[in-house]
Amino acid sequence: MSDNTSSNAIEVNGVNPVPDNERYGTAAGLFPIWFSWNISIFGITLGIYVLGLGLSVWQAMLAGVLGYFLSCSLVGVLAVGSVRTGLPTLVQSRFAFGYHGNKIPTFFGYFASLAWQVIMLSMAVTTLADLAIHLIPSLAKADGYPSVACLVGSFIVIIALTMSGAVWGYPLILKIEKVIAWVTGIFTLIYLFFFIPQIDFSVLDDRPSAGFAEFLGGVVLAMTMVGLGFLNYGGDYSRYLPRHTKAGGVIFWTMSGIAVPVSFLLILGVMLSAGNPELLEKASVKPLAALTGILPFWFYVPFSIVIIVSLISAGMTGVYSSGLALLAMGAPLSRAVSTGLNAQIIALGLSYLLFISDSFLMTFQSFLAVISVIMGSWGAIQMVDFIRQKRLCWDVRMAFDYGEGGRSYRWTALFSLAVATFIGLGTITSSDPYIAHIVSFLLPDGAETSVFATANIGLVVAMLVGSFLYAFLTFICRCDVPPVLNKKA
């Protein structure tokens, strides 16, 4: 094993294919990476959000679990391509979009990664600030909320820890994620001893069932909250596996690492909020503090620390991947420098979410819908293109520029992405007043309140349109296909 695989050395691999002599491990090693990211009690809050759509308890559970496993399986599928080539996910998609054409979806993938880190780290900041005012009451304002100075100090601590780990790279992330997965899992189980008694099991059957459209909306919301948010970097960690690792194992362990913990937590969140309707209002403002308020002080302190560490871990993993996305766009920066740039952009996003946005939930759901339209359509096109990439024997030269073995642009993929994105953004809605300006433009007057629009089912339509249009142009019409493929086909 080379020095690059040691957790004591800063990783030097960027967007290059990982050499075979630096590949190690098994597909099962992907499980703790994803598990540690998703075992946070924020998963309970997500269950509260799904039930808030007006579903019955059993519909919300089924919709959430179905949406999680469906979307997380797609993350696993995309991760297989990176095993075969050693490339990060957003570099792998150069096969489909071309070297320069891929910079368009990569930009949105980069933005999506940063936005997710803003969400994760904002929860870490507010959790740390809440912990600080419990330990040092003078840091709180008169209304009991953290002061601006407390929030700013918490922000500096969280950013510094996150960026340090992200700069160090994959070997350190892999090592600490395993520890965090165990510690977070154990503390979450202990938390359940305080949590489960708060559930009123007698009211679980009291909520009326909603229609199929509302149920489908719950599935879509679950897909956007978890799986689709990971599409653009699902292969950033699988690329270190040996080239011939079985695809089934990669898909299973990736899907399980994400979907199993969040499904379990979602079910608990649904059951808790069924008899506690005011919990949704609390969770829409402070998603984690709404759940830690039930704890005795002796457990609240260590558990808050575990939550903060797990969120920093998630931020570390995401910032690492967003740095790769920036390099994939061709930025002439080292991975360490790109991570520093990410820190500044994340700081701006945190400022909006912490000090400008009126509601965490409102901004969170609106962001998920918009970015999932773009990245979901991109992922659907990329998965269809795997058929072509396999026929080309996963030749990494296809990720290079024209003249070096690849293509500069592939209009079929770009056109399919543009059409799918236009349809998707035009048929979803947003409760955030700023994001609302860029969506719903295809909906007729009055349709903004329809179930189709409010459930953001246009996202699923966009993914289907993108994948079918690209498949039609590529495999039926044989447009923009290299001669080598025509011969093999």
Side-chain angles (χ1 to χ4, degrees):
M1 188 176 293
S2 71
D3 290 340
N4 289 340
T5 63
S6 171
S7 60
N8 298 319
I10 294 179
E11 180 192 7
V12 297
N13 287 313
V15 296
N16 58 287
V18 175
D20 285 338
N21 65 346
E22 293 183 23
R23 292 173 174 237
Y24 56 96
T26 64
L30 296 171
F31 183 86
I33 293 179
W34 294 109
F35 182 90
S36 63
W37 189 336
N38 291 283
I39 194 59
S40 167
I41 63 167
F42 182 53
I44 296 176
T45 307
L46 299 182
I48 299 172
Y49 295 161
V50 173
L51 187 67
L53 294 176
L55 304 176
S56 71
V57 169
W58 310 111
Q59 282 181 321
M61 291 180 184
L62 179 58
V65 172
L66 182 61
Y68 283 166
F69 274 89
L70 177 60
S71 59
C72 294
S73 67
L74 301 182
V75 180
V77 171
L78 286 180
V80 173
S82 295
V83 175
R84 301 295 177 249
T85 63
L87 295 169
T89 302
L90 284 171
V91 178
Q92 178 88 20
S93 63
R94 290 176 180 172
F95 280 71
F97 292 88
Y99 183 86
H100 293 294
N102 190 58
K103 294 177 181 179
I104 297 174
T106 299
F107 169 79
F108 289 105
Y110 171 67
F111 173 77
S113 295
L114 289 184
W116 264 108
Q117 303 336 301
V118 168
I119 290 169
M120 293 291 181
L121 296 180
S122 71
M123 291 189 290
V125 169
T126 54
T127 303
L128 178 58
D130 281 336
L131 176 62
I133 64 174
H134 277 82
L135 297 175
I136 309 175
S138 61
L139 295 176
K141 298 185 297 184
D143 59 4
Y145 285 91
S147 64
V148 173
C150 182
L151 283 172
V152 171
S154 299
F155 163 74
I156 293 173
V157 171
I158 296 299
I159 284 291
L161 293 175
T162 302
M163 297 308 156
S164 297
V167 167
W168 215 258
Y170 174 84
L172 177 64
I173 291 174
L174 181 63
K175 185 175 183 179
I176 66 175
E177 293 282 13
K178 293 180 179 179
V179 177
I180 292 172
W182 279 103
V183 174
T184 307
I186 291 171
F187 268 77
T188 300
L189 289 175
I190 298 174
Y191 171 80
L192 297 182
F193 283 100
F194 301 99
F195 176 88
I196 291 178
Q198 306 294 320
I199 299 174
D200 186 354
F201 291 94
S202 65
V203 302
L204 297 186
D205 291 320
D206 291 350
R207 293 175 63 93
S209 297
F212 178 75
E214 288 84 356
F215 174 79
L216 184 57
V219 174
V220 173
L221 177 59
M223 291 175 65
T224 61
M225 288 193 303
V226 179
L228 296 185
F230 298 134
L231 282 182
N232 52 303
Y233 41 85
D236 294 358
Y237 308 97
S238 65
R239 70 187 184 128
Y240 278 88
L241 293 174
R243 187 181 304 273
H244 298 294
T245 302
K246 291 185 178 180
V250 175
I251 296 171
F252 175 80
W253 289 112
T254 300
M255 176 187 67
S256 300
I258 307 172
V260 168
V262 292
S263 294
F264 175 70
L265 295 170
L266 176 136
I267 290 172
L268 293 177
V270 169
M271 290 193 295
L272 176 67
S273 57
N276 195 354
E278 67 276 7
L279 194 61
L280 177 61
E281 182 178 351
K282 295 179 182 178
S284 66
V285 180
K286 300 177 72 175
L288 297 184
L291 299 174
T292 56
I294 65 174
L295 298 174
F297 185 77
W298 64 266
F299 186 68
Y300 164 78
V301 173
F303 187 62
S304 295
I305 294 173
V306 169
I307 290 175
I308 293 166
V309 171
S310 67
L311 289 170
I312 290 175
S313 168
M316 208 183 293
T317 309
V319 171
Y320 168 82
S321 289
S322 62
L324 292 177
L326 188 60
L327 297 178
M329 284 191 287
L333 304 172
S334 67
R335 191 176 54 77
V337 172
S338 69
T339 301
L341 177 61
N342 291 340
Q344 300 178 47
I345 299 174
I346 288 173
L348 294 175
L350 278 172
S351 298
Y352 175 81
L353 198 54
L354 292 172
F355 303 110
I356 299 176
S357 174
D358 294 329
S359 168
F360 173 89
L361 175 58
M362 183 173 63
T363 302
F364 176 61
Q365 289 183 330
S366 298
F367 153 73
L368 289 178
V370 170
I371 206 63
S372 293
V373 164
I374 302 171
M375 298 314 299
S377 301
W378 161 85
I381 293 169
Q382 171 72 344
M383 280 183 273
V384 171
D385 195 61
F386 272 5
I387 299 172
R388 190 179 67 92
Q389 294 177 31
K390 184 177 181 180
R391 291 179 182 178
L392 294 170
C393 301
W394 306 101
D395 188 349
V396 296
R397 291 177 300 174
M398 295 298 294
F400 300 157
D401 200 356
Y402 180 77
E404 300 177 47
R407 306 282 297 279
S408 293
Y409 300 92
R410 292 194 70 248
W411 71 265
T412 48
L414 291 170
F415 177 71
S416 300
L417 178 63
V419 171
T421 300
F422 180 79
I423 292 174
L425 293 181
T427 53
I428 64 171
T429 59
S430 170
S431 53
D432 185 290
Y434 300 100
I435 299 177
H437 293 300
I438 62 172
V439 298
S440 305
F441 49 82
L442 292 180
L443 296 174
D445 292 339
E448 294 88 348
T449 58
S450 67
V451 174
F452 178 90
T454 56
N456 291 328
I457 298 175
L459 161 64
V460 177
V461 175
M463 294 179 65
L464 292 175
V465 168
S467 59
F468 281 112
L469 179 57
Y470 179 73
F472 176 77
L473 293 174
T474 303
F475 301 112
I476 304 297
C477 299
R478 298 187 180 278
C479 300
D480 200 20
V481 177
V484 64
L485 181 57
N486 279 318
K487 291 180 181 179
K488 292 186 177 183

